[in-house]
Amino acid sequence: MFGVLVVEQETGYAFLAAYSGLLEGRNDWPYFVPPVFDAQQPDGHFKRTECEIMQSSNHKQMSQDLQQWLFHQYRLLNARGEVKDLVDIWQEYHRSPRIRRKYPLPPGGTGDCCAPKLLQYAYQHGLKPVCMAEFWWGPSPKSEIRHHEQFYPACRGKCKPVLTWMLQGLEVDPNPEEANFSHLVPEIVFEDETIVVLNKPSGMLSVPGRTENYSVATWAKEHWPGAMPVHRLDMWTSGLMVIAKTEEAYHHLQRQFEQHTVKKKYLAVVEGVPAKEHGIIDLPLLSDPLNRPCQMVDYEYGKRAITEYRVLHTHSSLITPHLSLLALWPHTGRTHQLRMHCAHPDGLGCPIVGDELYGNKSDRLYLQAQAITFIHPQTGRRVHLEIKADFDDNLCRYLNN
């Protein structure tokens, strides 16, 4: 990852440049700001101790001691001129005993990303940060999804605790994760004494989030006391959600989801045209612990995820890019399964339009849970419900011409 920070100085505005970690094994390339702490010196304590560890039988303890020593060397400034090392920053940010037990020290490489390097250099040289951006350059890694020249936010696992400290004393824009969401209202598609099926609009949470309580779950409880969502959709995914009015109905429907007998069909508009008109994507997924809620493809530890797809329409012109309308049938229910399977090079290599995590930003995520089939928990009859695409009319018109 590369980063640029615009700064204000006495003579006007300037910019600083940085890269995350090492670039071709070096952290001292000219033009870029230096690391917060240089652990790569051949005769330095870190490298000398690394050599000792290689020759010792007590690898684990010595490695942990060296890592802790290293993090204490990263003494990071904030805009007030205050200083803390990485260990103190990490422990102050993660107050939960459970998190502290699981992650007593920051992950390896913390403090070596673009943003901490840029801010540290600016503070040390009396420069006022104005704005900053990070972007990916080059081919994507195999496990994650990164697009050449695409902008990305700082990672959650390593950088969020550090930046929470380093940005103190600066006037910054409101955190979009903590902004108030508009209170959208779902549409009732089907209702009887035991269940409700709602059409969730894009931009509405399925269940309460970290900073926002309003959701499909809270809206449903206001209308039907004791109502419980049986499954979830991503915030930016629209479409059908099943709500149980009774505990008995909830458990009955939950078993159907667990046994994979519920059939779901999604519509997605993707960038590009898949190589085949119809096929099966089988890519194992694993949560990225340092960058939640992002997922990774991991062939060793990932959980199997299977998606069937079919190309319904394609469109391209001189003024619009190649776009395709897909039908997607998930055979498993992993987090971000459809988004990853569409975007990853080992899948379709065609990110869903508006997918900010794995593709490019747009007015919304063009993914809709369009149809669902299940057994009614009270009558035992098969229920099939389907709704029309709620995508932008102009985009749909392009795809159908």
Side-chain angles (χ1 to χ4, degrees):
M1 198 76 75
F2 290 83
V4 174
L5 174 67
V6 176
V7 294
E8 186 177 357
Q9 54 187 357
E10 291 182 1
T11 57
Y13 292 99
F15 73 90
L16 307 173
Y19 52 87
S20 296
L22 302 177
L23 181 60
E24 295 187 352
R26 288 175 54 181
N27 62 7
D28 60 350
W29 289 100
Y31 181 79
F32 297 100
V33 301
V36 175
F37 177 77
D38 188 359
Q40 301 300 312
Q41 295 299 319
D43 57 348
H45 175 75
F46 185 81
K47 284 298 184 182
R48 286 189 286 106
T49 308
E50 267 193 334
C51 292
E52 293 174 12
I53 292 173
M54 295 294 291
Q55 301 169 7
S56 171
S57 58
N58 190 16
H59 293 284
K60 186 175 181 180
Q61 186 59 50
M62 289 184 69
S63 295
Q64 290 176 345
D65 292 343
L66 180 61
Q67 189 79 319
Q68 184 160 2
W69 173 88
L70 179 63
F71 287 140
H72 281 302
Q73 310 314 304
Y74 283 75
R75 299 180 56 77
L76 296 158
L77 290 158
N78 65 16
R80 300 191 189 106
E82 300 166 333
V83 182
K84 278 187 181 177
D85 69 42
L86 268 180
V87 176
D88 289 339
I89 291 171
W90 183 262
Q91 292 181 349
E92 182 178 289
Y93 182 84
H94 292 290
R95 298 183 181 274
S96 164
R98 181 181 63 83
I99 297 294
R100 285 196 180 188
R101 283 194 301 270
K102 190 172 183 180
Y103 302 106
L105 292 175
T110 302
D112 289 325
C113 294
C114 296
K117 286 182 178 181
L118 291 166
L119 290 172
Q120 184 81 347
Y121 186 89
Y123 295 150
Q124 287 174 334
H125 293 81
L127 306 172
K128 181 183 177 181
V130 177
C131 60
M132 178 166 52
E134 296 184 42
F135 59 94
W136 184 263
W137 190 270
S140 176
K142 288 295 290 181
S143 58
E144 303 173 82
I145 296 176
R146 293 285 185 266
H147 298 281
H148 179 57
E149 296 184 337
Q150 179 76 26
F151 291 97
Y152 291 94
C155 64
R156 292 171 178 267
K158 294 179 182 180
C159 288
K160 190 173 182 180
V162 175
L163 296 182
T164 299
W165 163 255
M166 297 189 78
L167 291 174
Q168 290 183 24
L170 276 183
E171 290 186 15
V172 297
D173 292 337
N175 185 343
E177 292 183 348
E178 298 174 0
N180 292 325
F181 297 99
S182 58
H183 283 195
L184 302 170
V185 177
E187 173 194 0
I188 299 174
V189 176
F190 173 88
E191 181 185 2
D192 63 16
E193 297 98 354
T194 54
I195 64 169
V196 183
V197 180
L198 301 173
N199 181 9
K200 184 187 85 68
S202 175
M204 186 177 189
L205 290 167
S206 293
V207 297
R210 290 189 301 274
T211 59
E212 173 65 28
N213 189 57
Y214 182 78
S215 63
V216 172
T218 56
W219 184 89
K221 284 183 178 179
E222 290 177 0
H223 289 74
W224 307 283
M228 296 173 285
V230 182
H231 60 119
R232 304 180 186 184
L233 295 176
D234 287 346
M235 176 179 174
W236 297 108
T237 301
S238 61
L240 297 175
M241 278 186 66
V242 182
I243 309 294
K245 288 185 176 181
T246 67
E247 190 170 347
E248 183 180 0
Y250 174 81
H251 291 301
H252 190 287
L253 289 162
Q254 276 275 291
R255 285 194 295 272
Q256 294 185 53
F257 276 94
E258 290 169 0
Q259 295 166 4
H260 304 295
T261 57
V262 177
K263 305 301 179 186
K264 293 179 287 182
K265 174 190 172 186
Y266 288 75
L267 289 181
V269 180
V270 301
E271 301 174 15
V273 180
K276 295 181 180 179
E277 183 178 325
H278 173 256
I280 299 289
I281 307 163
D282 189 348
L283 289 179
L285 301 179
L286 183 69
S287 176
D288 184 346
L290 300 179
N291 203 21
R292 296 182 184 279
C294 292
Q295 304 295 303
M296 304 184 298
V297 170
D298 191 310
Y299 290 97
E300 185 174 1
Y301 299 107
K303 294 182 179 179
R304 193 177 188 190
I306 302 172
T307 303
E308 182 181 358
Y309 73 91
R310 182 175 293 280
V311 179
L312 302 179
H313 300 287
T314 62
H315 174 81
S316 65
S317 72
L318 293 176
I319 59 172
T320 59
H322 287 281
L323 296 174
S324 300
L325 177 66
L326 307 184
L328 302 167
W329 295 273
H331 294 186
T332 52
R334 309 300 179 202
T335 301
H336 293 181
Q337 174 177 319
L338 301 181
R339 296 166 68 175
M340 278 291 287
H341 279 184
C342 286
H344 198 273
D346 291 345
L348 296 182
C350 298
I352 297 174
V353 173
D355 192 340
E356 294 187 40
L357 291 181
Y358 310 112
N360 298 290
K361 188 174 182 178
S362 185
D363 59 313
R364 61 158 289 182
L365 177 68
Y366 280 76
L367 178 64
Q368 180 194 40
Q370 190 204 27
I372 190 166
T373 305
F374 57 91
I375 301 300
H376 194 285
Q378 186 177 51
T379 66
R381 293 180 178 175
R382 181 176 176 270
V383 177
H384 175 79
L385 296 167
E386 188 163 343
I387 54 178
K388 293 182 178 180
D390 62 356
F391 301 148
D392 177 79
D393 289 341
N394 290 329
L395 186 58
C396 291
R397 196 177 304 117
Y398 280 137
L399 290 164
N400 284 290
N401 288 335

